[in-house]
C-alpha cells in the first residue's frame, strides 16, 4: 500500500509539473506572438505615416517653380525626402491629396516672372503671388489651364502687360485681385461673364479705356466689390452699372465723366462708394441714398444741386465728403452728420449751415 501511495503521488506530481510547464510554454508563445504582432502593427503604422501623400506630378511641378525662383530661401522646406503636402506655401486636398493652394507672398528675394509651370497644377483652386516687389513680367497664359481656380490674388507686385482675356473662361473664379501693379491696356469685357465673381480689384495700375458696358452682367452677383481707383480710365459710366448690386465701389482718381446717379438708390445694398477726383456731373438733390451706405466720397467733381435732406436720416455715417463741387443750399442737420467737418463741404458754390457759416435770410 505504501509503495502504491508513493507511486500514485509521484504520478500526480509529475502530471502537475507537466501541466505547469505546458502552461508556461503556451504563455511564452502567446507573449512572443503578441510582441511580434505589436511590432508588425508598429511597422505598418510607421509605413502608413511615412508614405507620401502628394501626387508625384504635383511634386515635379513644384520643384520646377522652385527652380524658376532660383531656389529662394522661402522654398527651403521643399525637399525630395519630404511630403509636398506638408511643405510651406502649399496645401493639399484632404481627399485627393492634390495641390489646391499655392501662396507665395511677402518676400524681397523672390524675383523674376510667374513661372509658366503654375498651369501644370490642374487641381489648383487658390493662386497667390502678392507683396513681391521683384516679381515682374506678364500674367502667364498657362493660368488659363487652371479650370478649378476660384481665388486669384496677384497684387502689390510689379507685373506688366495687359489683363488677359482668358480670365473669362475660368468660370469658377470668385475673387480677382490684380491691384498695385503696372498693368496697362483696357479692362477686357470677358471678365463680366464670370457669374460667380464677387470681387474685382484692379486699382493702382495704368489701365486705360472705359468700363465695359457688359459689366452690367454682374447684376446677379450679390454684394459685388469693384475697385478701379487710381488708373487712367475715362468716359461716361455705362447705364448698365445701375443694375449691379454693389457692396463696395471705388472709382476715385480716374477721368470719368457724366452721370453717376444710377449708382445710388434706396433699394440697393451699397455700403461704400468713392467716386472722388473725376469729372462727374449730376444733380445730387435727386439722389436717394441706400440705407446701409456709410462711406460717401464725392469730392473733386462737378456735381451740382443741393444735398438732399434725406442724408440726415442715414445711420452710421463713417465718412462723407462733397468738397470741390458746385453744390448750393443748406446742409442737412442730424446727429450722424455732426462728426463731418467743414472741410468736407469746402469749395462749393453756395453751401451754408453748420459746420459752414449760417445761410443768409
Amino acid at each position: 500500500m505504501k509503495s502504491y501511495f508513493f507511486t500514485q503521488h509521484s504520478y500526480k506530481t509529475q502530471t502537475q509539473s507537466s501541466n505547469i510547464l505546458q502552461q508556461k510554454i503556451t504563455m511564452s508563445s502567446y507573449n512572443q506572438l503578441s510582441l511580434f504582432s505589436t511590432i508588425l502593427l508598429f511597422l505598418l503604422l510607421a509605413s502608413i505615416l511615412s508614405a507620401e501623400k502628394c501626387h508625384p506630378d504635383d511634386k515635379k511641378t513644384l520643384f520646377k517653380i522652385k527652380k524658376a525662383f532660383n531656389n529662394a530661401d522661402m522654398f527651403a522646406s521643399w525637399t525630395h525626402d519630404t511630403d509636398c503636402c506638408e511643405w510651406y506655401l502649399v496645401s493639399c486636398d484632404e481627399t485627393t491629396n492634390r495641390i489646391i493652394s499655392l501662396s507665395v507672398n511677402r518676400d524681397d528675394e523672390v524675383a523674376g516672372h510667374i513661372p509658366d509651370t503654375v498651369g501644370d497644377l490642374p487641381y489648383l483652386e487658390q493662386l497667390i503671388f502678392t507683396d513681391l516687389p521683384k516679381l515682374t513680367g506678364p500674367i502667364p497664359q498657362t493660368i488659363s489651364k487652371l479650370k478649378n481656380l476660384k481665388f486669384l490674388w496677384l497684387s502689390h507686385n510689379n507685373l506688366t502687360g495687359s489683363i488677359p482675356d482668358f480670365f473669362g473662361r475660368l468660370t469658377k473664379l470668385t475673387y480677382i485681385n490684380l491691384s498695385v501693379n503696372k498693368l496697362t491696356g483696357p479692362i477686357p469685357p470677358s471678365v463680366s461673364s464670370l457669374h460667380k465673381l464677387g470681387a474685382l480689384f484692379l486699382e493702382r495700375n495704368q489701365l486705360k479705356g472705359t468700363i465695359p458696358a457688359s459689366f452690367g452682367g454682374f447684376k446677379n452677383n450679390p454684394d459685388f466689390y469693384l475697385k478701379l481707383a487710381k488708373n487712367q480710365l475715362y468716359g461716361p459710366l455705362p447705364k448698365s452699372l445701375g443694375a449691379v448690386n454693389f457692396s463696395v465701389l471705388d472709382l476715385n482718381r480716374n477721368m470719368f465723366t457724366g452721370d453717376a446717379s444710377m449708382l445710388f438708390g434706396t433699394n440697393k445694398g451699397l455700403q461704400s462708394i468713392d467716386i472722388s477726383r473725376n469729372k462727374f456731373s449730376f444733380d445730387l438733390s435727386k439722389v436717394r441714398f441706400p440705407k446701409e451706405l456709410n462711406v460717401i466720397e464725392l469730392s473733386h467733381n462737378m456735381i451740382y444741386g443741393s444735398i438732399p435732406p434725406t442724408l440726415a436720416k442715414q445711420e452710421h455715417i463713417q465718412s462723407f465728403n462733397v468738397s470741390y463741387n458746385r453744390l448750393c443750399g443748406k446742409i442737412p442737420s442730424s446727429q450722424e452728420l455732426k462728426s463731418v467737418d467743414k472741410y468736407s463741404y469746402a469749395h462749393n458754390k453756395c453751401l451754408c449751415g453748420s459746420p459752414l457759416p449760417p445761410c443768409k435770410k
Side-chain angles (χ1 to χ4, degrees):
M1 287 291 292
K2 188 175 183 180
S3 173
Y4 172 78
F5 175 78
F6 280 113
T7 301
Q8 191 178 34
H9 177 74
S10 175
Y11 173 77
K12 289 182 179 180
T13 302
Q14 290 177 4
T15 302
Q16 290 174 351
S17 298
S18 176
N19 290 338
I20 292 171
L21 179 61
Q22 187 175 2
Q23 288 176 1
K24 287 183 177 179
I25 292 172
T26 302
M27 288 298 295
S28 177
S29 299
Y30 175 79
N31 289 337
Q32 289 179 359
L33 181 61
S34 179
L35 178 61
F36 180 69
S37 299
T38 301
I39 293 172
L40 278 180
L41 181 60
F42 176 78
L43 291 174
L44 180 62
L45 287 173
S47 175
I48 292 172
L49 290 173
S50 63
E52 182 159 2
K53 298 177 182 178
C54 180
H55 195 282
D57 291 345
D58 289 349
K59 192 167 188 176
K60 289 178 183 177
T61 298
L62 291 172
F63 274 126
K64 290 178 182 178
I65 293 172
K66 177 181 178 180
K67 183 179 180 181
F69 288 126
N70 297 314
N71 301 313
D73 290 342
M74 176 173 274
F75 305 97
S77 67
W78 295 20
T79 60
H80 287 282
D81 59 348
T82 55
D83 183 357
C84 68
C85 285
E86 304 299 326
W87 287 355
Y88 178 53
L89 309 177
V90 301
S91 62
C92 290
D93 182 86
E94 293 181 357
T95 302
T96 65
N97 294 321
R98 300 302 298 261
I99 297 293
I100 58 172
S101 176
L102 173 62
S103 178
V104 183
N105 59 86
R106 298 182 182 180
D107 193 284
D108 293 336
E109 186 183 353
V110 173
H113 296 182
I114 298 174
D116 287 338
T117 48
V118 298
D120 297 328
L121 295 170
Y123 289 81
L124 204 63
E125 297 179 4
Q126 179 174 281
L127 179 61
I128 300 174
F129 286 98
T130 184
D131 292 291
L132 305 169
K134 295 180 182 178
L135 188 68
T136 59
I139 298 170
Q141 178 74 24
T142 53
I143 289 180
S144 65
K145 297 192 294 181
L146 302 177
K147 301 301 182 182
N148 291 301
L149 197 62
K150 298 177 182 178
F151 192 95
L152 180 64
W153 190 350
L154 307 178
S155 73
H156 292 80
N157 304 303
N158 274 295
L159 300 177
T160 55
S162 59
I163 298 173
D165 190 60
F166 66 70
F167 280 172
R169 301 197 297 271
L170 300 176
T171 56
K172 293 185 180 181
L173 277 172
T174 62
Y175 179 95
I176 299 176
N177 190 342
L178 309 179
S179 61
V180 196
N181 281 289
K182 295 179 180 177
L183 299 173
T184 56
I187 302 171
S190 60
V191 176
S192 60
S193 65
L194 300 174
H195 300 304
K196 294 183 179 180
L197 195 67
L200 178 61
F201 299 153
L202 305 177
E203 70 268 28
R204 294 178 64 181
N205 278 286
Q206 299 168 20
L207 302 175
K208 293 183 178 181
T210 60
I211 295 178
S214 62
F215 269 35
F218 289 126
K219 63 184 178 183
N220 296 320
N221 303 34
D223 303 322
F224 194 74
Y225 283 63
L226 179 62
K227 292 188 176 184
L228 305 177
K230 299 179 182 179
N231 279 287
Q232 299 168 30
L233 300 169
Y234 55 81
L237 301 181
K239 292 182 179 180
S240 59
L241 285 188
V244 181
N245 190 27
F246 292 107
S247 181
V248 173
L249 179 63
D250 189 353
L251 306 178
N252 87 81
R253 292 180 185 269
N254 281 286
M255 296 176 285
F256 292 118
T257 58
D259 190 3
S261 62
M262 83 288 286
L263 301 174
F264 301 90
T266 55
N267 61 335
K268 296 189 177 183
L270 188 63
Q271 298 177 29
S272 173
I273 185 169
D274 189 345
I275 59 172
S276 63
R277 296 182 182 274
N278 283 284
K279 298 178 181 179
F280 287 119
S281 179
F282 58 92
D283 187 350
L284 188 62
S285 62
K286 297 180 179 180
V287 166
R288 296 297 175 264
F289 297 114
K291 183 179 179 181
E292 302 298 323
L293 189 60
N294 52 57
V295 174
I296 309 170
E297 294 288 338
L298 311 179
S299 67
H300 293 82
N301 280 288
M302 296 183 288
I303 301 171
Y304 56 91
S306 60
I307 299 174
T310 53
L311 179 67
K313 298 180 181 180
Q314 291 297 120
E315 298 179 359
H316 312 299
I317 290 180
Q318 298 175 9
S319 178
F320 179 79
N321 194 332
V322 292
S323 62
Y324 292 89
N325 277 291
R326 299 175 179 178
L327 298 170
C328 200
K330 185 178 181 181
I331 297 171
S333 177
S334 74
Q335 187 66 32
E336 292 293 338
L337 291 173
K338 281 189 175 181
S339 61
V340 180
D341 59 36
K342 63 181 180 180
Y343 301 105
S344 297
Y345 299 103
H347 299 278
N348 273 282
K349 187 177 179 181
C350 53
L351 283 178
C352 59
S354 179
L356 296 181
C359 297
K360 296 179 180 179
K361 294 182 180 180

